[in-house]
Amino acid sequence: MSNKESEYSIIAGQFAAARAEQEKNTKAGDLEDAAPSDQSSDEQSRIAAIRFKSLHLLVVTFFLWILLLHTVGIYFFTKGFLLTRLVLDHKSECLSPPLNTTHSSSYKEGCWHPKQFNRAIVIIIDALRYDFTVPYRGEAQAYHNTLKVLHETAVETPKNAFLLPFIADPPTTTLQRLKGLTTGTLPTFIDAGSNFAGTAIEEDNLVAQLREANRTLVHLGDDTWHSLFPGYFDANLTHAYDSFNVWDLHTVDDGVTKHLLPLMGHEYSSQWDVLFGHYLGVDHAGHRYGPDHPAMTAKLQQMDEVLRQIIGLLDQQTLLVVMGDHGMDGKGDHGGESDDEVEAALWMYSKQGIFGRSEPAFALPPATAKVRPVAQIDLVPTLSLLLGMPIPFNNLGAPIQEAFIGPDGWQWRNLATVNALTGAQIHKYQHEYALARGLEELSASLPDMLWDKAHNLWLKLSLSPKFDPGIPNHTVKAFSEYQIETLRICRSLWARFDVPRMLLGIGVLVLALVTLLSFAISSPSDKAAAVPGLLRYIGTGSLTGGCLGRIASSFVVGLPALDSPLIGTALGGLCGYVLGFYRVPMKPSLPLPDSLWGWLAFVFTVSQSIGFASNSYTIWEDEILLVFLSSFAILAVFSSTRQVNITDRVLGIYHSVLFLLLTRTASLSRLCREEQMPYCRSTYYASANSSTSATWQLLIPYVLAVALPTIIKSYYQGTRSYEGAAVFWLGFALRMGLLGSALYWTLEAADDGDWFSTTSFDITTLRVILAQVILGVGFAAGTTTFVWAVPCIRVETTQGPDNSPKENAVPKAKSITILGYANVHGSRYFLLLSGWLLGVILVQKPMGGGVIGMLACQILSLLEIIDTNGISDSVIGPIVLGLLGNFHFFKTGHQATPASIQWNAAFIALKTIRYPWSPMLVALNTFGSQILTAIAVPLIVLWKQPPKKPRLLGSVAKAMAVHLSYYAVINLATTMWAGWLRRHLMLYRIFSPRFMTGAVVLLVVDLVGALVAIGGFRWNLLGVNEVFGWS
């Protein structure tokens, strides 16, 4: 017999024996009635358990079907919403220039234009923001006045170097920026999803042109290049490094320098033509610490020293280019379109002394990135022409003036020539694109007029040996106007949305929401009992619809092979649900509230959804949620004062006030997004320019380790439930896990601050092992404890006092006391939540861990409010849990922006990226609050309920349906508003990121709700009923 069976048998035996003894004494010796359950009762219990398990599996299946509907709806909307463009297969050819010039094209002399350099070294310093490179005379931060060589050379030797702001097109992720830097074209938003799964660039690009010209290419550093250009680089000289370990500041940089400097020696001079070196240390320092940190100073100093060494080794025929692919925000992150994220730096250097300025005012580099910026796509035609390569066919950039104006600043004819070649290539590309798309020439006359004007000026310039000195200047200006207008048109042309597909996705999401609401609010009250009948119709409809969709995709031209079966399965299942809804039967009812609490839940959900149409509302969503939760707490105080029972009244008021205080305290933790400035002050990190915790914040995990288990214990003791597994798990395991988490973040701070730099102590290995142990305790040991634990009860029997003097008097009856009986379901189920709680706290920063601890206390207070006010059947409980989940999403250092994702969470328990564990850690960090509140949903039903309360599975299913409906409404609202406002100026900064956040949150909560919450309820009910029997 296993330990679990032994424990269950002991407690069940104690309960049965005590009950039998009580019945025997009560009935004065009726032994037959007091006998243990017979074989038929055991058989009935076994059958009841089998029925429950089967029904439970069907309920889980039903919610997984809801997950499928949400996935299909989001998929179709996203496919129509995220922008794409047609990639042309055309390639520019050396011997076919787009414009007739006097130059004879050849790879030796230069395609289209005389080449200036035989070789080039292109250095990418990832996340090199422009203000990292220019002098700062105010109160300097860690990144100021450190990387000096770029500005020094541009000022002291302007004919050899120039420094300019280098503006990236969002999204500011490395893979998309590398595409733009090599193709010269604009990114489309769908590319953002491939940042961690880059695919080879198939359209014409600079690297492909160099390879076509038989140039030997070498790459050192970030391995993203190899996913974009597989097989392009010399295998013997190339050295790639993992790009996603943001905790490692030195391996990639040291490796690049180690191999780059020797390649510049004479013995290797003939073995390569173009060398790409991609340094990652600055970017990783930003992600790990933020820009205002000594680690950033050290990395910029290292880059300064390396660049000075490269300059010293450079020969006359080699061009040196140094640039940032993007910038970083105040916390060191990137991905969005804020100024700090798009403002990178570009520096070119040559010992030939060919660079110049068109005006004396341009002699010095711009003081800020707002002055004389160049677009990153401008690098493509500039490098192509300098190296004698054809300009890639899809390029939309323009030549950088400083590279072609000449050292005296008067070579306007040369500048006019390169602008004419670039403009002609753009015109050729636009013509081919219009033909491929079946469009008129850009559907606009202005670009045609500007092209005619520029082309006529070029003809006048090229055909006349004597010309007005102003003509080249006018020609440059005319081609620049044409390029700018064409770029503007292309942005609007590629911002084409597939509206029918978007509407199809929205339609599926609407129907999925109606399904959830109808399931939650309709009769019968036992939702679980209706599920088997519903699933029969859903399964039949889904199978039929999927088959019809597959057949349709086979016979109808243009229907995608995947899309048709998907939408057929979804719509067929929905039709089956409607048919089953009336056949089961389930009585529909109006989705209107019938109580004050119901109306409050309705107002919270609907008003929040409507508000997403406003960009300011979306920006300040965390403050809106604070108002909603505070309003609930205040109303709960007034409701509690009306309770008749004095105990309920006192407890209700106490927990309502506590809920309010915890909400207000948690609101002090905030991470401000750019749009909230200057009305918001970040407190989540040490400063607004840091991504590390302040020293005082390291105390929070230790306080949590001491206080949180004690607070949870107090809730258990209120119902005498601090028995059995709760004593060990809450009193010891959880406390030790939290203490280990506190120690982890202390070690992390020690590692960041080099506290033990003078010793060989390997802090990284120690903290990684510690994190793995804590996660093992939380998820493996915690789940095992929950599954195998007996209910948190203790059975006591006491003999009644015998005051009778008679010898033959009947003994007083024994009394039975079951400690923990009043909360037998809730106390056991909370063990599951506490295991996940430990894991979520670990992956948060110290401030975030404290906030998650407050969330746990708020959940317990919410359960007490619901119990004392008798509203466990109301929809307000699951809705408030949804509000708490979203509220604490913001309070744990997140915003609905890509830049706020805490990628370093992937390395909390790992040294390198490992799939699927690294993404799972990031997801746990990002959506930890929503995960915990989803797991807590069954507690709304189970808290302080008797062991044999009927229809618990149906009640849990209803509560989960209401909870999912909240997130489904939020997702539907953000989806619809993103679609409606698809031409809004703030689409990609505000509305689109909020839509994507809502979509991912919904899918995560769907999955956790079905598998963890409802799945955990199975083990909870089986454990309780093994002791108390099946009713």
Side-chain angles (χ1 to χ4, degrees):
M1 180 179 291
S2 68
N3 290 335
K4 176 194 175 187
E5 292 172 344
S6 177
E7 288 185 67
Y8 275 119
S9 298
I10 291 172
I11 292 183
Q14 289 176 342
F15 176 69
R19 183 176 60 182
E21 180 69 17
Q22 183 186 52
E23 291 178 357
K24 182 179 75 171
N25 290 328
T26 302
K27 297 183 180 182
D30 191 350
L31 299 178
E32 182 178 353
D33 291 341
S37 301
D38 57 16
Q39 184 64 32
S40 62
S41 298
D42 293 339
E43 181 65 18
Q44 290 174 359
S45 296
R46 188 182 68 83
I47 294 174
I50 292 174
R51 286 176 178 173
F52 166 74
K53 292 177 183 178
S54 302
L55 186 57
H56 174 271
L57 181 60
L58 294 177
V59 171
V60 171
T61 304
F62 175 81
F63 281 100
L64 290 176
W65 175 67
I66 295 295
L67 169 63
L68 174 64
L69 292 181
H70 289 152
T71 303
V72 172
I74 292 169
Y75 166 77
F76 277 96
F77 179 84
T78 302
K79 195 169 183 180
F81 178 71
L82 296 185
L83 307 179
T84 58
R85 62 180 173 86
L86 177 65
V87 175
L88 301 183
D89 295 330
H90 299 65
K91 310 289 183 184
S92 294
E93 298 180 1
C94 181
L95 301 180
S96 300
L99 201 67
N100 292 325
T101 64
T102 58
H103 175 70
S104 178
S105 295
S106 69
Y107 282 120
K108 183 177 181 180
E109 300 297 329
C111 301
W112 301 6
H113 186 266
K115 70 177 179 180
Q116 295 290 332
F117 301 97
N118 293 321
R119 303 195 305 172
I121 297 176
V122 181
I123 301 294
I124 296 93
I125 301 179
D126 208 290
L128 180 64
R129 208 167 72 190
Y130 183 73
D131 59 341
F132 292 2
T133 66
V134 293
Y136 185 79
R137 293 177 175 81
E139 185 178 349
Q141 296 185 338
Y143 52 84
H144 285 136
N145 305 324
T146 302
L147 180 55
K148 300 178 180 180
V149 65
L150 308 183
H151 191 269
E152 284 180 3
T153 52
V155 172
E156 297 172 2
T157 57
K159 295 181 180 180
N160 299 100
F162 64 85
L163 173 64
L164 292 171
F166 200 40
I167 307 303
D169 290 298
T172 49
T173 49
T174 294
L175 185 141
Q176 284 70 46
R177 291 295 80 241
L178 292 182
K179 287 183 177 181
L181 289 168
T182 54
T183 64
T185 192
L186 299 174
T188 47
F189 205 80
I190 197 169
D191 288 334
S194 58
N195 190 44
F196 301 101
T199 55
I201 297 177
E202 298 179 355
E203 61 186 311
D204 197 10
N205 61 83
L206 177 58
V207 179
Q209 288 289 346
L210 289 166
R211 188 189 185 204
E212 181 69 19
N214 294 319
R215 301 290 183 93
T216 302
L217 309 179
V218 175
H219 167 260
L220 305 171
D222 186 348
D223 60 356
T224 305
W225 288 79
H226 291 265
S227 62
L228 298 176
F229 308 105
Y232 281 45
F233 304 106
D234 184 279
N236 295 322
L237 301 178
T238 292
H239 299 275
Y241 298 87
D242 178 31
S243 59
F244 292 123
N245 189 353
V246 297
W247 289 78
D248 186 352
L249 274 60
H250 307 295
T251 299
V252 177
D253 290 4
D254 293 345
V256 173
T257 303
K258 173 185 175 182
H259 296 290
L260 188 151
L261 296 179
L263 287 175
M264 298 184 68
H266 294 296
E267 61 272 24
Y268 290 101
S269 60
S270 61
Q271 297 187 24
W272 60 271
D273 295 298
V274 179
L275 190 154
F276 298 93
H278 196 143
Y279 286 90
L280 292 173
V282 172
D283 179 70
H284 288 184
H287 282 301
R288 184 171 178 181
Y289 303 107
D292 190 20
H293 190 276
M296 182 62 74
T297 305
K299 293 310 299 182
L300 292 174
Q301 287 175 342
Q302 180 186 11
M303 292 298 97
D304 188 84
E305 294 170 1
V306 168
L307 292 176
R308 293 181 189 275
Q309 294 180 63
I310 294 174
I311 292 172
L313 295 172
L314 202 67
D315 60 37
Q316 291 283 334
Q317 288 301 313
T318 303
L319 171 68
L320 175 60
V321 181
V322 176
M323 59 182 162
D325 55 343
H326 50 74
M328 63 175 68
D329 64 13
K331 306 185 314 302
D333 298 320
H334 56 88
E337 55 179 327
S338 67
D339 289 346
D340 283 345
E341 292 172 272
V342 302
E343 293 173 351
L346 172 67
W347 178 79
M348 285 191 178
Y349 180 86
S350 165
K351 291 189 174 180
Q352 291 185 23
I354 65 169
F355 300 137
R357 314 291 188 272
S358 61
E359 297 181 22
F362 297 166
L364 296 178
T368 71
K370 302 295 186 294
V371 181
R372 290 172 29 228
V374 296
Q376 288 195 350
I377 58 175
D378 293 347
L379 179 70
V380 174
T382 303
L383 271 183
S384 297
L385 296 173
L386 289 175
L387 295 175
M389 293 290 106
I391 298 173
F393 190 84
N394 297 337
N395 167 72
L396 294 173
I400 297 173
Q401 188 180 89
E402 282 77 0
F404 299 99
I405 195 65
D408 55 3
W410 289 99
Q411 294 183 20
W412 285 97
R413 181 160 192 156
N414 183 52
L415 186 60
T417 301
V418 296
N419 273 276
L421 286 168
T422 305
Q425 178 55 47
I426 292 175
H427 187 258
K428 184 178 180 181
Y429 166 66
Q430 294 305 320
H431 174 73
E432 294 297 334
Y433 191 91
L435 291 178
R437 278 293 193 188
L439 307 171
E440 298 179 6
E441 292 289 330
L442 289 176
S443 302
S445 59
L446 182 56
D448 294 333
M449 294 170 57
L450 292 174
W451 166 253
D452 292 339
K453 175 185 175 182
H455 189 245
N456 290 334
L457 284 171
W458 164 252
L459 291 176
K460 184 183 295 186
L461 177 66
S462 59
L463 296 178
S464 176
K466 294 183 179 180
F467 55 84
D468 183 345
I471 291 181
N473 195 335
H474 296 317
T475 304
V476 171
K477 184 178 179 181
F479 277 111
S480 178
E481 290 174 349
Y482 168 72
Q483 184 264 342
I484 292 172
E485 177 61 20
T486 302
L487 191 60
R488 185 192 67 80
I489 293 292
C490 286
R491 290 184 192 276
S492 63
L493 183 68
W494 292 336
R496 287 194 164 191
F497 301 88
D498 188 346
V499 176
R501 198 178 295 271
M502 292 165 60
L503 291 175
L504 183 60
I506 290 174
V508 173
L509 291 175
V510 170
L511 294 175
L513 176 60
V514 172
T515 299
L516 273 173
L517 291 175
S518 64
F519 178 81
I521 65 177
S522 61
S523 298
S525 58
D526 187 3
K527 310 298 180 186
V531 168
L534 289 173
L535 281 181
R536 282 195 296 270
Y537 289 98
I538 291 171
T540 303
S542 298
L543 182 61
T544 303
C547 292
L548 291 176
R550 186 67 184 89
I551 294 171
S553 65
S554 302
F555 290 96
V556 180
V557 179
L559 284 179
L562 174 63
D563 292 3
S564 296
L566 268 181
I567 195 63
T569 300
L571 296 179
L574 287 165
C575 291
Y577 175 82
V578 173
L579 183 61
F581 189 86
Y582 289 99
R583 291 286 183 90
V584 168
M586 295 181 70
K587 296 180 181 178
S589 59
L590 292 176
L592 294 177
D594 56 0
S595 67
L596 176 61
W597 293 111
W599 277 108
L600 189 66
F602 178 83
V603 170
F604 285 163
T605 306
V606 174
S607 61
Q608 186 179 3
S609 303
I610 295 174
F612 287 121
S614 165
N615 56 353
S616 58
Y617 184 101
T618 307
I619 290 169
W620 293 99
E621 184 181 356
D622 55 338
E623 297 298 317
I624 303 299
L625 292 169
L626 173 61
V627 172
F628 286 170
L629 290 170
S630 299
S631 300
F632 165 77
I634 293 172
L635 186 60
V637 171
F638 287 105
S639 175
S640 298
T641 61
R642 302 179 60 190
Q643 301 306 310
V644 176
N645 186 288
I646 185 63
T647 302
D648 288 342
R649 190 187 312 156
V650 172
L651 283 177
I653 294 174
Y654 167 75
H655 287 291
S656 300
V657 172
L658 179 60
F659 186 93
L660 178 61
L661 292 176
L662 289 171
T663 302
R664 302 298 302 185
T665 304
S667 70
L668 298 177
S669 171
R670 64 176 66 92
L671 178 69
C672 304
R673 56 188 295 165
E674 183 190 17
E675 296 85 358
Q676 292 177 323
M677 307 301 283
Y679 307 106
C680 178
R681 186 172 68 89
S682 294
T683 59
Y684 191 76
Y685 296 111
S687 69
N689 294 315
S690 173
S691 58
T692 58
S693 300
T695 303
W696 69 267
Q697 292 175 337
L698 297 177
L699 296 175
I700 296 176
Y702 290 99
V703 174
L704 199 65
V706 173
L708 185 59
T710 303
I711 293 172
I712 296 174
K713 175 183 176 181
S714 69
Y715 284 88
Y716 272 66
Q717 288 178 328
T719 54
R720 309 290 295 275
S721 300
Y722 195 67
E723 303 290 345
V727 176
F728 170 77
W729 177 254
L730 299 176
F732 178 76
L734 178 61
R735 191 183 301 276
M736 290 299 101
L738 291 173
L739 189 60
S741 177
L743 180 60
Y744 171 88
W745 286 108
T746 302
L747 291 174
E748 197 268 348
D751 195 8
D752 288 347
D754 291 330
W755 295 357
F756 304 104
S757 57
T758 58
T759 68
S760 59
F761 186 57
D762 189 358
I763 299 178
T764 302
T765 300
L766 178 60
R767 62 179 175 79
V768 166
I769 293 174
L770 181 60
Q772 291 174 349
V773 170
I774 296 170
L775 291 174
V777 171
F779 293 116
T783 302
T784 302
T785 299
F786 166 73
V787 170
W788 293 91
V790 297
C792 302
I793 61 173
R794 180 158 55 91
V795 180
E796 291 184 350
T797 58
T798 56
Q799 180 69 49
D802 185 5
N803 298 322
S804 174
K806 297 181 180 179
E807 295 182 1
N808 297 325
V810 177
K812 294 289 183 179
K814 291 183 179 180
S815 62
I816 301 175
T817 303
I818 304 178
L819 302 180
Y821 183 89
N823 195 21
V824 63
H825 286 291
S827 60
R828 190 185 189 282
Y829 184 87
F830 192 86
L831 298 178
L832 173 64
L833 181 65
S834 62
W836 282 77
L837 178 67
L838 178 59
V840 172
I841 288 175
L842 172 67
V843 299
Q844 306 294 333
K845 295 282 187 178
M847 180 71 87
V851 169
I852 292 297
M854 284 186 276
L855 170 61
C857 297
Q858 284 182 284
I859 291 173
L860 288 167
S861 288
L862 175 63
L863 298 176
E864 293 292 340
I865 294 170
I866 289 173
D867 175 66
T868 55
N869 285 269
I871 52 175
S872 60
D873 291 332
S874 173
V875 298
I876 190 63
I879 297 298
V880 171
L881 281 176
L883 294 172
L884 282 172
N886 280 348
F887 176 70
H888 286 276
F889 167 82
F890 295 104
K891 300 299 112 181
T892 50
H894 301 98
Q895 288 282 351
T897 58
S900 71
I901 299 175
Q902 299 172 24
W903 298 111
N904 50 14
F907 303 97
I908 286 178
L910 301 166
K911 287 187 175 182
T912 59
I913 291 288
R914 294 182 62 184
Y915 294 96
W917 309 114
S918 295
M920 289 173 66
L921 287 171
V922 174
L924 194 65
N925 167 275
T926 306
F927 308 113
S929 59
Q930 287 103 336
I931 290 172
L932 290 176
T933 51
I935 297 174
V937 169
L939 285 169
I940 298 291
V941 176
L942 301 178
W943 196 253
K944 293 188 176 180
Q945 297 298 331
K948 294 189 177 183
K949 182 179 179 180
R951 298 188 294 274
L952 276 178
L953 179 57
S955 299
V956 169
K958 174 187 174 181
M960 184 57 68
V962 173
H963 186 70
L964 295 181
S965 296
Y966 167 77
Y967 286 107
V969 171
I970 298 301
N971 172 67
L972 178 61
T974 55
T975 301
M976 293 177 66
W977 290 126
W980 181 259
L981 300 171
R982 61 188 180 276
R983 302 293 180 185
H984 196 281
L985 181 65
M986 293 292 178
L987 175 65
Y988 293 120
R989 177 171 289 199
I990 295 175
F991 297 111
S992 183
R994 187 60 187 88
F995 145 67
M996 291 188 291
T997 301
V1000 176
V1001 167
L1002 176 62
L1003 298 181
V1004 169
V1005 173
D1006 278 343
L1007 188 65
V1008 172
L1011 298 183
V1012 182
I1014 298 180
F1017 171 75
R1018 165 197 171 102
W1019 297 105
N1020 199 78
L1021 192 68
L1022 288 174
V1024 172
N1025 284 358
E1026 280 195 42
V1027 172
F1028 292 96
W1030 295 84
S1031 55

